[in-house]
Amino acid sequence: MTDHTMNKNPASVPHSIWPAQALPRLEQEAADALGLTLFELMQRAGFAAFTLARECWPDARHWLILCGHGNNGGDGYVVARLAQAAGIQASVIALQSEKPLPEEAESAREAWLNAGGTVHAPDVAWPEGVEVIVDGLLGTGLHSAPRDDIAALIDHANAHPAPVLALDIPSGLLAQTGATPGAVIHAAHTITFIALKPGLLTGKARDVVGQLHHNALGLEGWLAGQEPPYLRFDGSLLADWLKPRRPTSNKGDHGKLLIVGGDHGTAGAIRMTGEAALRAGAGLVRILTRSDNIVPVLAARPELMVQALTPESLEDNLEWADVVVIGPGLGQQKWGRQALQKIENFRKPMLWDADALNLLAINPDKRHNRLLTPHPGEAARLLNTDVAEIESDRLLSAQRLVKQYGGTVVLKGAGTVVASHEGTLGIVDAGNAGMASGGMGDVLSGIIGALLAQKLPLFEAAAAGCIAHGVAADKLAARYGTRGMLATDLFSTLVRVVNPDVIDPDHD
């Protein structure tokens, strides 16, 4: 079975993302503008979910719908009524509460009961022969772990052999952050309504969302007129940034990139960064490293220019370079610290990664011409916290890094977050678990450095570089799988990815 994370989300999934807390206002404003009631939108959501379930499991004759005590449960009641009308056996298990249901959800529940439906209590024995489970337990308003009674239903659904369709978001997944503080539904498919939520794309989302679908409930035109605060980046956007080259262009037109790093024993890191930069289209790439790394790096990739790092060579090359990348294999000893101290005053675009980030955490400063690419561990050191805190809210963590250090930040991980000091923020919807291997970060630094050298601004270079990195890995995973993927394997597909104008004969 193919891992869904190796495949891009359908074209119907938008590139705009809205904060979870903005959704009730967005829904109400859209309904008012179009003369719709919230109950009409609920009916549309239920119909969209019903239609998707029929498409995914056309032969399933018994559905179990789990309904919560909010509008997410209301969507579930609509699904149940439509399924029953279509001749499908629909069983409903609903949470109970002393509080009344929201008006729209109560109307949906009444319509289900009036159609002859039955509502079962959460402690009822589950019926035999259930072939599809529809999760309408918890919506986007969740901020903490589900209560014990809800967690029991979630665990039961996950243990059941029937696949799960989640309505709007898998119950237990936090819509703003993608965190899973307690029990969470593991969905085969998730259909989200009106707008994308950040938690569907980052944090633990990929473990639980399954195949993501989107339905704007007829609000597409109105939403197109709104300015989303966040963006979703995927491979379809590369052509916007990576235009075909002028036929008469020369290597000097595509940037002079200097890469500094590779202390004793880390020639591999600096070599991977250098080759990635070449493969991503940098015109000239020069490496300053330990003298004992020169021969192995040149033997592996003779197109690189390699010199020993000395105060004199660094001074000369900072004059030569359009962009500097520092950090891969740099180490934290005097050799690396002195190089970083010299480079920190470089006035052109620069990227700091790996040990450059660890040294920055010791001596913080703020610069707007700099791009930082921390993984969660490095981000935790930069913010003087722990990895759990970083991962609990990746968007906020990226924004905090930008506020403290300036420039643009790439917070790496599943659902990489890119944030700029100007307030722009996006989530990268590409990549897969095969990238959890050594050297991937070195390759990413080279790709982004190359795009900076080709004159993309910091935020655009970061976004495009992360997309190219992830899509190159996705192409490999689609062909070979995720286990055993090496960072250098990406070079074979990266060249294709950074030339989006070329027609791909394999359509991979």
Side-chain angles (χ1 to χ4, degrees):
M1 183 170 119
T2 302
D3 180 351
H4 78 275
T5 60
M6 295 177 347
N7 302 319
K8 65 181 182 181
N9 282 320
S12 61
V13 176
H15 289 109
S16 57
I17 306 171
W18 289 84
Q21 61 269 25
L23 294 172
R25 174 187 59 80
L26 198 70
E27 183 178 30
Q28 186 66 63
E29 289 181 3
D32 291 345
L34 299 175
L36 298 167
T37 66
L38 294 180
F39 184 58
E40 286 176 296
L41 292 180
M42 180 175 287
Q43 290 177 305
R44 292 182 181 186
F47 180 75
F50 165 74
T51 303
L52 177 62
R54 288 292 296 271
E55 291 173 356
C56 293
W57 304 287
D59 299 325
R61 307 310 303 162
H62 187 180
W63 298 4
L64 173 64
I65 299 92
L66 304 176
C67 294
H69 202 73
N71 284 332
N72 199 243
D75 297 339
Y77 287 118
V78 177
V79 172
R81 180 172 52 80
L82 293 170
Q84 181 172 275
I88 296 167
Q89 183 180 352
S91 301
V92 172
I93 293 176
L95 298 177
Q96 297 171 321
S97 174
E98 295 178 358
K99 296 180 181 179
L101 281 169
E103 180 182 346
E104 295 78 25
E106 179 60 35
S107 297
R109 182 177 183 276
E110 287 300 318
W112 163 243
L113 293 172
N114 291 338
T118 302
V119 176
H120 299 284
D123 57 357
V124 72
W126 283 27
E128 298 291 328
V130 170
E131 297 169 280
V132 172
I133 298 170
V134 177
D135 164 35
L137 287 171
L138 300 170
T140 59
L142 185 70
H143 299 291
S144 58
R147 299 192 319 258
D148 289 347
D149 56 337
I150 304 174
L153 287 172
I154 290 172
D155 291 341
H156 198 159
N158 288 337
H160 199 282
V164 179
L165 169 63
L167 304 182
D168 214 15
I169 192 164
S171 293
L173 180 67
L174 303 192
Q176 179 61 23
T177 65
T180 54
V184 59
I185 284 286
H186 287 246
H189 294 262
T190 296
I191 181 166
T192 198
F193 306 120
I194 302 180
L196 275 187
K197 297 84 183 170
L200 291 167
L201 298 169
T202 194
K204 296 296 184 183
R206 292 189 182 194
D207 286 342
V208 300
V209 167
Q211 180 65 57
L212 179 61
H213 308 262
H214 171 259
N215 193 297
L217 309 184
L219 307 182
E220 293 88 346
W222 185 86
L223 288 166
Q226 310 304 307
E227 189 68 33
Y230 311 142
L231 299 170
R232 180 181 73 91
F233 299 125
D234 67 4
S236 69
L237 300 177
L238 282 175
D240 296 339
W241 288 308
L242 304 179
K243 305 292 186 185
R245 290 181 165 180
R246 270 188 307 107
T248 58
S249 63
N250 62 68
K251 60 190 177 185
D253 296 330
H254 305 305
K256 294 176 286 188
L257 175 62
L258 176 65
I259 302 172
V260 181
D263 201 352
H264 295 302
T266 59
I270 205 75
R271 176 255 160 145
M272 286 188 285
T273 303
E275 180 162 354
L278 290 172
R279 297 290 187 184
L284 293 165
V285 180
R286 187 170 289 172
I287 287 174
L288 294 184
T289 186
R290 288 285 190 181
S291 57
D292 52 2
N293 290 337
I294 295 175
V295 170
V297 170
L298 283 175
R301 184 47 59 208
E303 294 87 348
L304 292 166
M305 299 178 284
V306 191
Q307 293 178 288
L309 172 62
T310 66
E312 296 74 26
S313 67
L314 183 55
E315 184 80 34
D316 292 343
N317 280 288
L318 289 177
E319 289 289 327
W320 169 84
D322 297 319
V323 174
V324 172
V325 170
I326 182 167
L330 184 69
Q332 299 182 46
Q333 304 306 310
K334 183 178 178 181
W335 180 83
R337 292 199 311 270
Q338 288 179 334
L340 188 63
Q341 287 166 2
K342 180 68 176 177
I343 287 169
E344 67 184 8
N345 293 315
F346 187 66
R347 311 296 280 183
K348 300 172 188 176
M350 55 181 173
L351 183 152
W352 291 24
D353 186 28
D355 279 319
L357 300 175
N358 294 324
L359 291 170
L360 177 62
I362 298 169
N363 293 297
D365 64 27
K366 190 171 186 177
R367 298 175 190 277
H368 290 323
N369 65 321
R370 180 175 59 197
L371 201 158
L372 307 179
T373 57
H375 57 56
E378 291 159 345
R381 288 189 282 277
L382 287 165
L383 292 176
N384 193 28
T385 184
D386 56 32
V387 171
E389 180 71 18
I390 296 294
E391 292 290 82
S392 70
D393 193 335
R394 290 172 51 79
L395 275 70
L396 179 61
S397 296
Q399 290 167 324
R400 288 180 60 204
L401 286 164
V402 165
K403 183 176 181 181
Q404 184 165 339
Y405 293 98
T408 293
V409 168
V410 171
L411 179 54
K412 296 183 287 196
T416 290
V417 179
V418 185
S420 81
H421 72 277
E422 296 164 331
T424 316
L425 188 145
I427 301 175
V428 177
D429 191 12
N432 59 77
M435 301 172 78
S437 64
M440 286 290 176
D442 301 319
V443 169
L444 177 62
S445 292
I447 296 170
I448 297 175
L451 298 182
L452 289 170
Q454 292 167 81
K455 311 254 183 324
L456 266 67
L458 259 66
F459 184 82
E460 286 79 357
C466 290
I467 297 166
H469 189 232
V471 172
D474 287 343
K475 286 179 175 290
L476 281 172
R479 199 172 295 152
Y480 303 116
T482 58
R483 187 174 285 111
M485 185 186 296
L486 303 182
T488 51
D489 292 341
L490 268 63
F491 297 148
S492 64
T493 51
L494 180 60
V495 175
R496 168 67 193 87
V497 170
V498 297
N499 291 284
D501 54 303
V502 177
I503 296 172
D504 191 342
D506 297 327
H507 301 291
D508 59 357

PDB file of all heavy atoms in Angstrom, residues 53-81:
ATOM      1  N   ALA A  53     -17.563   9.702   0.813  1.00  0.00           N
ATOM      2  CA  ALA A  53     -17.586   8.346   1.371  1.00  0.00           C
ATOM      3  C   ALA A  53     -18.090   7.343   0.343  1.00  0.00           C
ATOM      4  O   ALA A  53     -17.559   6.225   0.234  1.00  0.00           O
ATOM      5  CB  ALA A  53     -18.460   8.312   2.624  1.00  0.00           C
ATOM      6  N   ARG A  54     -19.097   7.723  -0.416  1.00  0.00           N
ATOM      7  CA  ARG A  54     -19.605   6.830  -1.475  1.00  0.00           C
ATOM      8  C   ARG A  54     -18.538   6.570  -2.532  1.00  0.00           C
ATOM      9  O   ARG A  54     -18.410   5.456  -3.052  1.00  0.00           O
ATOM     10  CB  ARG A  54     -20.849   7.442  -2.127  1.00  0.00           C
ATOM     11  CG  ARG A  54     -22.106   7.435  -1.267  1.00  0.00           C
ATOM     12  CD  ARG A  54     -22.657   6.024  -1.016  1.00  0.00           C
ATOM     13  NE  ARG A  54     -23.105   5.344  -2.211  1.00  0.00           N
ATOM     14  CZ  ARG A  54     -24.334   5.411  -2.713  1.00  0.00           C
ATOM     15  NH1 ARG A  54     -25.257   6.164  -2.110  1.00  0.00           N
ATOM     16  NH2 ARG A  54     -24.674   4.752  -3.785  1.00  0.00           N
ATOM     17  N   GLU A  55     -17.781   7.627  -2.874  1.00  0.00           N
ATOM     18  CA  GLU A  55     -16.715   7.472  -3.873  1.00  0.00           C
ATOM     19  C   GLU A  55     -15.591   6.580  -3.356  1.00  0.00           C
ATOM     20  O   GLU A  55     -15.052   5.747  -4.103  1.00  0.00           O
ATOM     21  CB  GLU A  55     -16.143   8.840  -4.246  1.00  0.00           C
ATOM     22  CG  GLU A  55     -17.103   9.724  -5.039  1.00  0.00           C
ATOM     23  CD  GLU A  55     -16.557  11.126  -5.243  1.00  0.00           C
ATOM     24  OE1 GLU A  55     -15.458  11.420  -4.697  1.00  0.00           O
ATOM     25  OE2 GLU A  55     -17.219  11.933  -5.921  1.00  0.00           O
ATOM     26  N   CYS A  56     -15.238   6.753  -2.088  1.00  0.00           N
ATOM     27  CA  CYS A  56     -14.115   5.988  -1.532  1.00  0.00           C
ATOM     28  C   CYS A  56     -14.475   4.529  -1.258  1.00  0.00           C
ATOM     29  O   CYS A  56     -13.638   3.638  -1.438  1.00  0.00           O
ATOM     30  CB  CYS A  56     -13.634   6.647  -0.248  1.00  0.00           C
ATOM     31  SG  CYS A  56     -12.870   8.258  -0.460  1.00  0.00           S
ATOM     32  N   TRP A  57     -15.709   4.291  -0.795  1.00  0.00           N
ATOM     33  CA  TRP A  57     -16.117   2.928  -0.415  1.00  0.00           C
ATOM     34  C   TRP A  57     -17.491   2.627  -1.022  1.00  0.00           C
ATOM     35  O   TRP A  57     -18.513   2.530  -0.314  1.00  0.00           O
ATOM     36  CB  TRP A  57     -16.157   2.818   1.114  1.00  0.00           C
ATOM     37  CG  TRP A  57     -14.839   3.197   1.734  1.00  0.00           C
ATOM     38  CD1 TRP A  57     -13.690   2.466   1.724  1.00  0.00           C
ATOM     39  CD2 TRP A  57     -14.541   4.405   2.453  1.00  0.00           C
ATOM     40  NE1 TRP A  57     -12.692   3.137   2.388  1.00  0.00           N
ATOM     41  CE2 TRP A  57     -13.183   4.329   2.850  1.00  0.00           C
ATOM     42  CE3 TRP A  57     -15.284   5.541   2.812  1.00  0.00           C
ATOM     43  CZ2 TRP A  57     -12.548   5.342   3.567  1.00  0.00           C
ATOM     44  CZ3 TRP A  57     -14.652   6.559   3.530  1.00  0.00           C
ATOM     45  CH2 TRP A  57     -13.313   6.453   3.901  1.00  0.00           C
ATOM     46  N   PRO A  58     -17.546   2.482  -2.345  1.00  0.00           N
ATOM     47  CA  PRO A  58     -18.849   2.342  -3.015  1.00  0.00           C
ATOM     48  C   PRO A  58     -19.622   1.087  -2.632  1.00  0.00           C
ATOM     49  O   PRO A  58     -20.850   1.056  -2.773  1.00  0.00           O
ATOM     50  CB  PRO A  58     -18.467   2.332  -4.507  1.00  0.00           C
ATOM     51  CG  PRO A  58     -17.031   1.908  -4.546  1.00  0.00           C
ATOM     52  CD  PRO A  58     -16.424   2.462  -3.310  1.00  0.00           C
ATOM     53  N   ASP A  59     -18.948   0.076  -2.142  1.00  0.00           N
ATOM     54  CA  ASP A  59     -19.628  -1.181  -1.826  1.00  0.00           C
ATOM     55  C   ASP A  59     -19.995  -1.310  -0.345  1.00  0.00           C
ATOM     56  O   ASP A  59     -20.608  -2.310   0.053  1.00  0.00           O
ATOM     57  CB  ASP A  59     -18.742  -2.369  -2.235  1.00  0.00           C
ATOM     58  CG  ASP A  59     -18.460  -2.387  -3.726  1.00  0.00           C
ATOM     59  OD1 ASP A  59     -19.364  -1.996  -4.494  1.00  0.00           O
ATOM     60  OD2 ASP A  59     -17.340  -2.758  -4.116  1.00  0.00           O
ATOM     61  N   ALA A  60     -19.618  -0.334   0.460  1.00  0.00           N
ATOM     62  CA  ALA A  60     -19.913  -0.414   1.889  1.00  0.00           C
ATOM     63  C   ALA A  60     -21.403  -0.199   2.136  1.00  0.00           C
ATOM     64  O   ALA A  60     -21.977   0.791   1.693  1.00  0.00           O
ATOM     65  CB  ALA A  60     -19.101   0.628   2.644  1.00  0.00           C
ATOM     66  N   ARG A  61     -22.019  -1.110   2.868  1.00  0.00           N
ATOM     67  CA  ARG A  61     -23.473  -1.052   3.083  1.00  0.00           C
ATOM     68  C   ARG A  61     -23.851  -0.725   4.525  1.00  0.00           C
ATOM     69  O   ARG A  61     -25.033  -0.622   4.848  1.00  0.00           O
ATOM     70  CB  ARG A  61     -24.126  -2.394   2.700  1.00  0.00           C
ATOM     71  CG  ARG A  61     -23.802  -2.905   1.304  1.00  0.00           C
ATOM     72  CD  ARG A  61     -24.003  -1.859   0.233  1.00  0.00           C
ATOM     73  NE  ARG A  61     -25.362  -1.317   0.227  1.00  0.00           N
ATOM     74  CZ  ARG A  61     -25.700  -0.171  -0.356  1.00  0.00           C
ATOM     75  NH1 ARG A  61     -24.792   0.567  -0.952  1.00  0.00           N
ATOM     76  NH2 ARG A  61     -26.962   0.227  -0.324  1.00  0.00           N
ATOM     77  N   HIS A  62     -22.852  -0.584   5.401  1.00  0.00           N
ATOM     78  CA  HIS A  62     -23.166  -0.257   6.802  1.00  0.00           C
ATOM     79  C   HIS A  62     -22.146   0.770   7.298  1.00  0.00           C
ATOM     80  O   HIS A  62     -20.953   0.498   7.390  1.00  0.00           O
ATOM     81  CB  HIS A  62     -23.122  -1.519   7.663  1.00  0.00           C
ATOM     82  CG  HIS A  62     -23.599  -1.276   9.072  1.00  0.00           C
ATOM     83  ND1 HIS A  62     -23.634  -2.286  10.020  1.00  0.00           N
ATOM     84  CD2 HIS A  62     -24.059  -0.159   9.706  1.00  0.00           C
ATOM     85  CE1 HIS A  62     -24.102  -1.786  11.158  1.00  0.00           C
ATOM     86  NE2 HIS A  62     -24.361  -0.501  10.992  1.00  0.00           N
ATOM     87  N   TRP A  63     -22.636   1.969   7.584  1.00  0.00           N
ATOM     88  CA  TRP A  63     -21.779   3.035   8.094  1.00  0.00           C
ATOM     89  C   TRP A  63     -22.106   3.291   9.557  1.00  0.00           C
ATOM     90  O   TRP A  63     -23.268   3.265   9.969  1.00  0.00           O
ATOM     91  CB  TRP A  63     -22.000   4.340   7.329  1.00  0.00           C
ATOM     92  CG  TRP A  63     -21.681   4.317   5.869  1.00  0.00           C
ATOM     93  CD1 TRP A  63     -21.279   3.250   5.123  1.00  0.00           C
ATOM     94  CD2 TRP A  63     -21.762   5.436   4.980  1.00  0.00           C
ATOM     95  NE1 TRP A  63     -21.092   3.626   3.813  1.00  0.00           N
ATOM     96  CE2 TRP A  63     -21.386   4.973   3.693  1.00  0.00           C
ATOM     97  CE3 TRP A  63     -22.118   6.770   5.135  1.00  0.00           C
ATOM     98  CZ2 TRP A  63     -21.365   5.808   2.576  1.00  0.00           C
ATOM     99  CZ3 TRP A  63     -22.089   7.607   4.034  1.00  0.00           C
ATOM    100  CH2 TRP A  63     -21.709   7.130   2.763  1.00  0.00           C
ATOM    101  N   LEU A  64     -21.063   3.562  10.330  1.00  0.00           N
ATOM    102  CA  LEU A  64     -21.240   3.995  11.721  1.00  0.00           C
ATOM    103  C   LEU A  64     -20.802   5.459  11.800  1.00  0.00           C
ATOM    104  O   LEU A  64     -19.660   5.794  11.446  1.00  0.00           O
ATOM    105  CB  LEU A  64     -20.391   3.144  12.663  1.00  0.00           C
ATOM    106  CG  LEU A  64     -20.357   3.596  14.123  1.00  0.00           C
ATOM    107  CD1 LEU A  64     -21.747   3.487  14.752  1.00  0.00           C
ATOM    108  CD2 LEU A  64     -19.342   2.787  14.928  1.00  0.00           C
ATOM    109  N   ILE A  65     -21.701   6.323  12.262  1.00  0.00           N
ATOM    110  CA  ILE A  65     -21.403   7.750  12.350  1.00  0.00           C
ATOM    111  C   ILE A  65     -21.290   8.131  13.811  1.00  0.00           C
ATOM    112  O   ILE A  65     -22.216   7.915  14.601  1.00  0.00           O
ATOM    113  CB  ILE A  65     -22.491   8.597  11.651  1.00  0.00           C
ATOM    114  CG1 ILE A  65     -22.583   8.243  10.159  1.00  0.00           C
ATOM    115  CG2 ILE A  65     -22.186  10.087  11.797  1.00  0.00           C
ATOM    116  CD1 ILE A  65     -23.576   7.170   9.826  1.00  0.00           C
ATOM    117  N   LEU A  66     -20.136   8.678  14.182  1.00  0.00           N
ATOM    118  CA  LEU A  66     -19.877   9.129  15.546  1.00  0.00           C
ATOM    119  C   LEU A  66     -20.107  10.629  15.608  1.00  0.00           C
ATOM    120  O   LEU A  66     -19.407  11.393  14.936  1.00  0.00           O
ATOM    121  CB  LEU A  66     -18.442   8.799  15.970  1.00  0.00           C
ATOM    122  CG  LEU A  66     -18.028   7.324  15.868  1.00  0.00           C
ATOM    123  CD1 LEU A  66     -16.555   7.151  16.211  1.00  0.00           C
ATOM    124  CD2 LEU A  66     -18.896   6.466  16.788  1.00  0.00           C
ATOM    125  N   CYS A  67     -21.069  11.069  16.397  1.00  0.00           N
ATOM    126  CA  CYS A  67     -21.452  12.476  16.441  1.00  0.00           C
ATOM    127  C   CYS A  67     -21.104  13.103  17.786  1.00  0.00           C
ATOM    128  O   CYS A  67     -21.483  12.578  18.839  1.00  0.00           O
ATOM    129  CB  CYS A  67     -22.952  12.642  16.188  1.00  0.00           C
ATOM    130  SG  CYS A  67     -23.466  12.163  14.526  1.00  0.00           S
ATOM    131  N   GLY A  68     -20.418  14.227  17.723  1.00  0.00           N
ATOM    132  CA  GLY A  68     -20.109  14.971  18.930  1.00  0.00           C
ATOM    133  C   GLY A  68     -21.218  15.934  19.290  1.00  0.00           C
ATOM    134  O   GLY A  68     -22.300  15.948  18.677  1.00  0.00           O
ATOM    135  N   HIS A  69     -20.918  16.777  20.284  1.00  0.00           N
ATOM    136  CA  HIS A  69     -21.953  17.675  20.787  1.00  0.00           C
ATOM    137  C   HIS A  69     -21.739  19.095  20.250  1.00  0.00           C
ATOM    138  O   HIS A  69     -21.885  20.079  20.977  1.00  0.00           O
ATOM    139  CB  HIS A  69     -21.955  17.672  22.323  1.00  0.00           C
ATOM    140  CG  HIS A  69     -23.255  18.115  22.905  1.00  0.00           C
ATOM    141  ND1 HIS A  69     -24.388  17.315  22.879  1.00  0.00           N
ATOM    142  CD2 HIS A  69     -23.630  19.265  23.505  1.00  0.00           C
ATOM    143  CE1 HIS A  69     -25.387  17.961  23.444  1.00  0.00           C
ATOM    144  NE2 HIS A  69     -24.965  19.156  23.844  1.00  0.00           N
ATOM    145  N   GLY A  70     -21.389  19.202  18.977  1.00  0.00           N
ATOM    146  CA  GLY A  70     -21.207  20.502  18.346  1.00  0.00           C
ATOM    147  C   GLY A  70     -21.592  20.422  16.886  1.00  0.00           C
ATOM    148  O   GLY A  70     -22.238  19.453  16.449  1.00  0.00           O
ATOM    149  N   ASN A  71     -21.183  21.414  16.125  1.00  0.00           N
ATOM    150  CA  ASN A  71     -21.567  21.433  14.713  1.00  0.00           C
ATOM    151  C   ASN A  71     -20.878  20.341  13.910  1.00  0.00           C
ATOM    152  O   ASN A  71     -21.380  19.950  12.857  1.00  0.00           O
ATOM    153  CB  ASN A  71     -21.279  22.805  14.118  1.00  0.00           C
ATOM    154  CG  ASN A  71     -22.314  23.835  14.550  1.00  0.00           C
ATOM    155  OD1 ASN A  71     -23.465  23.482  14.823  1.00  0.00           O
ATOM    156  ND2 ASN A  71     -21.914  25.092  14.623  1.00  0.00           N
ATOM    157  N   ASN A  72     -19.737  19.848  14.403  1.00  0.00           N
ATOM    158  CA  ASN A  72     -19.107  18.707  13.754  1.00  0.00           C
ATOM    159  C   ASN A  72     -20.037  17.497  13.820  1.00  0.00           C
ATOM    160  O   ASN A  72     -20.203  16.759  12.839  1.00  0.00           O
ATOM    161  CB  ASN A  72     -17.778  18.412  14.454  1.00  0.00           C
ATOM    162  CG  ASN A  72     -16.831  17.584  13.622  1.00  0.00           C
ATOM    163  OD1 ASN A  72     -16.485  16.475  14.004  1.00  0.00           O
ATOM    164  ND2 ASN A  72     -16.386  18.116  12.506  1.00  0.00           N
ATOM    165  N   GLY A  73     -20.679  17.323  14.967  1.00  0.00           N
ATOM    166  CA  GLY A  73     -21.678  16.266  15.098  1.00  0.00           C
ATOM    167  C   GLY A  73     -22.876  16.517  14.210  1.00  0.00           C
ATOM    168  O   GLY A  73     -23.472  15.567  13.669  1.00  0.00           O
ATOM    169  N   GLY A  74     -23.258  17.798  14.044  1.00  0.00           N
ATOM    170  CA  GLY A  74     -24.348  18.140  13.137  1.00  0.00           C
ATOM    171  C   GLY A  74     -24.069  17.668  11.727  1.00  0.00           C
ATOM    172  O   GLY A  74     -24.953  17.117  11.047  1.00  0.00           O
ATOM    173  N   ASP A  75     -22.823  17.863  11.271  1.00  0.00           N
ATOM    174  CA  ASP A  75     -22.439  17.349   9.945  1.00  0.00           C
ATOM    175  C   ASP A  75     -22.645  15.840   9.885  1.00  0.00           C
ATOM    176  O   ASP A  75     -23.099  15.291   8.870  1.00  0.00           O
ATOM    177  CB  ASP A  75     -20.971  17.666   9.657  1.00  0.00           C
ATOM    178  CG  ASP A  75     -20.666  19.161   9.598  1.00  0.00           C
ATOM    179  OD1 ASP A  75     -21.599  19.952   9.379  1.00  0.00           O
ATOM    180  OD2 ASP A  75     -19.489  19.519   9.773  1.00  0.00           O
ATOM    181  N   GLY A  76     -22.304  15.163  10.998  1.00  0.00           N
ATOM    182  CA  GLY A  76     -22.464  13.712  11.047  1.00  0.00           C
ATOM    183  C   GLY A  76     -23.909  13.282  10.923  1.00  0.00           C
ATOM    184  O   GLY A  76     -24.219  12.298  10.228  1.00  0.00           O
ATOM    185  N   TYR A  77     -24.834  13.999  11.573  1.00  0.00           N
ATOM    186  CA  TYR A  77     -26.262  13.670  11.454  1.00  0.00           C
ATOM    187  C   TYR A  77     -26.744  13.814  10.009  1.00  0.00           C
ATOM    188  O   TYR A  77     -27.553  13.005   9.526  1.00  0.00           O
ATOM    189  CB  TYR A  77     -27.090  14.565  12.369  1.00  0.00           C
ATOM    190  CG  TYR A  77     -26.965  14.234  13.833  1.00  0.00           C
ATOM    191  CD1 TYR A  77     -26.456  15.170  14.730  1.00  0.00           C
ATOM    192  CD2 TYR A  77     -27.367  12.995  14.337  1.00  0.00           C
ATOM    193  CE1 TYR A  77     -26.341  14.883  16.083  1.00  0.00           C
ATOM    194  CE2 TYR A  77     -27.263  12.697  15.687  1.00  0.00           C
ATOM    195  CZ  TYR A  77     -26.739  13.635  16.557  1.00  0.00           C
ATOM    196  OH  TYR A  77     -26.633  13.342  17.897  1.00  0.00           O
ATOM    197  N   VAL A  78     -26.235  14.829   9.303  1.00  0.00           N
ATOM    198  CA  VAL A  78     -26.612  14.996   7.895  1.00  0.00           C
ATOM    199  C   VAL A  78     -26.110  13.812   7.076  1.00  0.00           C
ATOM    200  O   VAL A  78     -26.836  13.270   6.228  1.00  0.00           O
ATOM    201  CB  VAL A  78     -26.057  16.327   7.335  1.00  0.00           C
ATOM    202  CG1 VAL A  78     -26.383  16.449   5.841  1.00  0.00           C
ATOM    203  CG2 VAL A  78     -26.628  17.523   8.101  1.00  0.00           C
ATOM    204  N   VAL A  79     -24.870  13.397   7.324  1.00  0.00           N
ATOM    205  CA  VAL A  79     -24.320  12.235   6.614  1.00  0.00           C
ATOM    206  C   VAL A  79     -25.186  11.001   6.877  1.00  0.00           C
ATOM    207  O   VAL A  79     -25.511  10.241   5.943  1.00  0.00           O
ATOM    208  CB  VAL A  79     -22.862  11.975   7.057  1.00  0.00           C
ATOM    209  CG1 VAL A  79     -22.357  10.647   6.474  1.00  0.00           C
ATOM    210  CG2 VAL A  79     -21.955  13.109   6.613  1.00  0.00           C
ATOM    211  N   ALA A  80     -25.562  10.781   8.118  1.00  0.00           N
ATOM    212  CA  ALA A  80     -26.371   9.613   8.466  1.00  0.00           C
ATOM    213  C   ALA A  80     -27.703   9.627   7.723  1.00  0.00           C
ATOM    214  O   ALA A  80     -28.140   8.592   7.165  1.00  0.00           O
ATOM    215  CB  ALA A  80     -26.602   9.573   9.974  1.00  0.00           C
ATOM    216  N   ARG A  81     -28.361  10.774   7.691  1.00  0.00           N
ATOM    217  CA  ARG A  81     -29.668  10.871   7.016  1.00  0.00           C
ATOM    218  C   ARG A  81     -29.528  10.601   5.520  1.00  0.00           C
ATOM    219  O   ARG A  81     -30.345   9.877   4.923  1.00  0.00           O
ATOM    220  CB  ARG A  81     -30.270  12.256   7.252  1.00  0.00           C
ATOM    221  CG  ARG A  81     -31.633  12.471   6.608  1.00  0.00           C
ATOM    222  CD  ARG A  81     -32.257  13.783   7.031  1.00  0.00           C
ATOM    223  NE  ARG A  81     -31.375  14.917   6.853  1.00  0.00           N
ATOM    224  CZ  ARG A  81     -31.164  15.536   5.675  1.00  0.00           C
ATOM    225  NH1 ARG A  81     -31.762  15.080   4.588  1.00  0.00           N
ATOM    226  NH2 ARG A  81     -30.361  16.574   5.607  1.00  0.00           N
TER     227      ARG A  81
END
